[in-house]
């Protein structure tokens, strides 16, 4: 039962072991009638009471007849499920619409629907359909909600058939299910004056030569997908490898968002934990920068990124922007703590080229990790770090505050390396920190300009 699709279940399938299946569907009432009938028949035989024997046979035969008739009932129904929406932020509700069609020529009896959902989404919804005429349709809906991000299966839908006397119930399940994706909360951010341009050295400066007009005369190595008509044969013969001419391309600012997922960098769990704040902040920055026209890239401390992401990250307009945001949100919906202990892999990825604006969400740092993060700002056009304060986040869990000198020392190391580093206390608003980072960075730029002058 995919969204918008249909699935079919027939109540007359599975002829093998039919008697066993029918007897297994007897309800408590049906089993009681059967037991009472057998007991009455035994007593009638012992006592020689023929009238009691008739009563016992009637009591025993009623549930068996109901089970046989119900098992051989030929209902053919089709069902469909639709999620609205299929991707929902944590803490928000989604509505699930169920559709049941009677595709047989006979009216149905009493039908009970039950959709299987994870307990984190709420109780299992149950519905009772009294009678569905031939070719008729019934539609019902229910709501689901989760404070925890993730991917949750919905289904398969179960159909329960019951007789008018309540003696027997048979369950038929549809084979397919849908998936509800609960993404991190996204906080709207104010537009600021961050830029994603290169600092002016290395490959970033060479690329600025080819922003308009003629193609850059400086060739580069061949990359998969390059047009073979742009091969520069003289340089190919000189360097011994395939070289192509750089193409004219418009300037596009770039932004890399680094998320620290080390398990040892955060304490606590749940929707209000430090790690969930960092994930939500990462999602907010990614969506904000993508909407502003940046080429956006998501990176973790292990060096991994979003599947399907290009070399320069995601970029686009209109529907492409929405698709890119959806892919990144799907990745953040299931991201979890890693077993890593350092940030060296992320540094190896970042030092490979100009990353434009670098925004990092970091957990607790020791001296070695802080030194690694400090070096990441060398190949960026600007670096902003949100470092979670372990004192305020840990005090809520253990009640014992940590010494704050180490945290302040780590922030000082990042600021000396050119980062705009901000401490994130428990319950902080990302939008306020975002504005504060803009003010501090603007002040730093003004001071640097006066010094150069």
């Amino acid at each position: 039962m995919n969204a918008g699709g249909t699935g079919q279940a027939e109540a007359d399938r599975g002829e093998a072991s039919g008697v066993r299946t029918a007897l297994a569907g007897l309800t408590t009432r049906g089993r009681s009638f059967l037991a009472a009938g057998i007991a009455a028949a035994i007593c009638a035989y012992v006592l020689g009471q023929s009238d009691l024997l008739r009563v016992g046979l009637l009591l025993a035969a009623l549930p068996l007849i109901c089970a046989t008739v119900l098992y051989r009932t030929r209902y053919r129904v089709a069902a469909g499920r639709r999620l609205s929406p299929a991707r929902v932020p944590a803490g928000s509700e989604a509505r699930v619409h169920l559709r049941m069609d009677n595709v047989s020529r006979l009216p149905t009896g009493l039908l009970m629907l039950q959709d299987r959902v994870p307990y984190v989404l709420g109780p299992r919804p149950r519905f009772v359909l009294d009678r569905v005429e031939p070719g008729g349709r019934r539609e019902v809906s229910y709501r689901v909600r989760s404070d925890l991000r993730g991917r949750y299966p919905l289904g398969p839908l179960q159909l329960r058939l019951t007789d008018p006397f309540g003696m027997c119930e048979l369950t038929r399940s549809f084979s397919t299910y849908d998936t509800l994706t609960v993404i991190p909360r996204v906080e709207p951010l104010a537009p600021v004056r961050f830029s994603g341009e290169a600092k002016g050295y290395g490959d970033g400066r060479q690329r600025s030569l080819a922003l308009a007009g003629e193609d850059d005369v400086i060739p580069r190595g061949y990359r998969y997908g390059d047009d073979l008509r742009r091969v520069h044969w003289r340089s190919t013969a000189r360097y011994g490898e395939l070289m192509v001419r750089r193409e004219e391309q418009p300037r596009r600012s770039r932004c890399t968002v680094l998320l620290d997922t080390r398990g040892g960098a955060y304490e606590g769990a749940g929707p209000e934990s430090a790690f969930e704040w960092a994930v939500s902040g990462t999602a907010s920055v990614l969506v904000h920068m993508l909407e502003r026209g940046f080429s956006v890239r998501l990176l973790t401390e292990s060096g991994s990124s979003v599947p399907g992401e290009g070399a320069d990250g995601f970029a686009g307009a209109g529907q492409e922007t929405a698709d890119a945001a959806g892919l990144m949100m799907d990745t953040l919906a299931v991201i979890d703590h890693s077993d890593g202990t350092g940030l060296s892999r992320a540094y190896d990825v970042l030092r490979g080229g100009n990353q434009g604006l670098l925004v990092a969400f970091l957990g607790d740092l020791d001296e070695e990790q802080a030194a690694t993060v400090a070096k990441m700002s060398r190949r960026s056009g600007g670096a902003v770090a949100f470092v979670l304060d372990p004192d305020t986040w840990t005090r809520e869990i253990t009640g014992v505050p940590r010494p704050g000198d180490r945290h302040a020392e780590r922030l000082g190391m990042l600021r000396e390396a050119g980062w705009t580093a901000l401490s994130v206390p428990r319950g902080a608003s990302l939008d306020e920190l975002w504005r504060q980072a803009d003010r501090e960075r603007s002040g730093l730029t003004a001071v640097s300009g006066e010094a150069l002058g």
Side-chain angles (χ1 to χ4, degrees):
M1 284 175 292
N2 298 324
T6 61
Q8 292 191 351
E10 297 185 8
D12 61 338
R13 63 185 180 182
E15 293 295 337
S17 304
V19 176
R20 193 182 314 169
T21 302
L23 293 178
L26 290 177
T27 63
T28 302
R29 179 184 301 177
R31 295 176 186 272
S32 300
F33 268 66
L34 183 60
I38 296 175
I42 294 175
C43 292
Y45 177 77
V46 174
L47 299 176
Q49 297 290 331
S50 59
D51 293 337
L52 183 59
L53 179 60
R54 296 188 187 95
V55 174
L57 293 177
L58 177 61
L59 292 177
L62 183 58
L64 297 178
I65 294 175
C66 291
T68 303
V69 173
L70 185 63
Y71 182 78
R72 294 187 175 276
T73 300
R74 297 180 179 273
Y75 292 153
R76 296 184 65 247
V77 295
R81 182 189 294 105
R82 178 172 56 88
L83 305 181
S84 178
R87 185 186 292 117
V88 62
S92 300
E93 290 184 344
R95 182 168 289 275
V96 183
H97 301 268
L98 300 177
R99 186 187 73 251
M100 182 67 62
D101 297 309
N102 182 11
V103 296
S104 66
R105 297 181 180 180
L106 298 176
T108 67
L110 187 65
L111 301 178
M112 291 185 292
L113 302 180
Q114 175 179 282
D115 207 8
R116 301 183 60 181
V117 300
Y119 289 107
V120 70
L121 299 181
R124 290 186 177 181
R126 294 179 174 88
F127 305 95
V128 178
L129 303 181
D130 187 14
R131 181 179 181 274
V132 182
E133 65 278 3
R137 172 181 296 182
R138 297 291 185 271
E139 294 186 2
V140 293
S141 64
Y142 64 93
R143 294 177 297 179
V144 291
R145 180 181 182 274
S146 175
D147 292 328
L148 298 175
R149 54 186 177 80
R151 294 173 62 87
Y152 301 101
L154 299 179
L157 182 65
Q158 293 180 336
L159 177 65
R160 288 187 178 182
L161 307 177
T162 182
D163 64 283
F165 301 102
M167 297 289 180
C168 183
E169 286 184 358
L170 295 181
T171 302
R172 295 290 182 261
S173 296
F174 294 84
S175 59
T176 56
Y177 61 91
D178 292 297
T179 301
L180 175 68
T181 303
V182 180
I183 63 176
R185 297 184 182 94
V186 176
E187 183 176 351
L189 301 179
V192 295
R193 293 180 295 275
F194 294 150
S195 65
E197 305 299 337
K199 283 187 174 180
Y201 61 90
D203 187 62
R205 170 171 290 182
Q206 294 178 2
R207 291 186 180 183
S208 64
L209 299 177
L211 295 176
E214 298 293 333
D215 292 341
D216 193 348
V217 295
I218 302 177
R220 59 168 175 81
Y222 175 81
R223 298 173 184 171
Y224 179 77
D226 286 338
D227 191 349
L228 294 178
R229 292 175 295 182
R230 305 192 65 84
V231 173
H232 196 269
W233 297 108
R234 182 179 300 177
S235 299
T236 299
R238 177 181 178 183
Y239 293 102
E241 60 177 330
L242 202 59
M243 307 291 289
V244 296
R245 293 171 292 164
R246 299 179 185 272
E247 295 182 355
E248 176 184 347
Q249 52 185 353
R251 180 184 297 271
R252 179 181 289 273
S253 298
R254 291 192 288 178
C255 175
T256 299
V257 182
L258 172 64
L259 174 61
D260 182 7
T261 63
R262 295 172 297 128
Y266 304 91
E267 293 190 16
E272 302 299 329
S273 63
F275 181 67
E276 293 302 322
W277 191 96
V279 174
S280 177
T282 301
S284 302
V285 173
L286 286 172
V287 173
H288 175 75
M289 303 307 289
L290 190 62
E291 291 176 347
R292 293 192 61 197
F294 279 65
S295 295
V296 179
R297 182 183 186 185
L298 172 62
L299 184 67
T300 64
E301 95 290 340
S302 61
S304 60
S305 57
V306 180
E309 189 178 67
D312 294 334
F314 288 106
Q319 185 60 37
E320 295 181 1
T321 300
D323 294 341
L327 287 175
M328 290 186 290
M329 292 301 103
D330 289 344
T331 300
L332 291 176
V334 297
I335 201 168
D336 202 354
H337 292 294
S338 68
D339 298 330
T341 58
L343 300 165
S344 57
R345 292 185 180 180
Y347 171 68
D348 293 339
V349 174
L350 292 173
R351 71 178 181 178
N354 171 45
Q355 304 300 327
L357 175 65
L358 176 60
V359 182
F361 289 87
L362 306 171
D364 192 13
L365 301 174
D366 58 22
E367 184 175 358
E368 180 182 357
Q369 295 158 0
T372 302
V373 175
K375 295 185 293 184
M376 294 180 181
S377 63
R378 298 176 181 175
R379 299 301 301 268
S380 66
V384 180
F386 299 95
V387 186
L388 279 74
D389 184 0
D391 178 22
T392 59
W393 291 92
T394 305
R395 185 188 308 165
E396 187 73 16
I397 302 173
T398 63
V400 179
R402 288 184 177 181
D405 296 341
R406 191 179 74 171
H407 179 64
E409 180 181 349
R410 304 297 181 260
L411 291 177
M413 292 179 60
L414 298 183
R415 288 165 181 164
E416 291 178 359
W419 284 84
T420 303
L422 282 78
S423 176
V424 181
R426 184 178 182 86
S429 170
L430 178 61
D431 184 55
E432 295 178 1
L433 293 174
W434 187 252
R435 296 172 185 268
Q436 180 182 349
D438 179 42
R439 292 191 297 267
E440 292 188 9
R441 181 167 174 78
S442 299
L444 179 63
T445 303
V447 172
S448 301
E450 293 177 0
L452 291 175

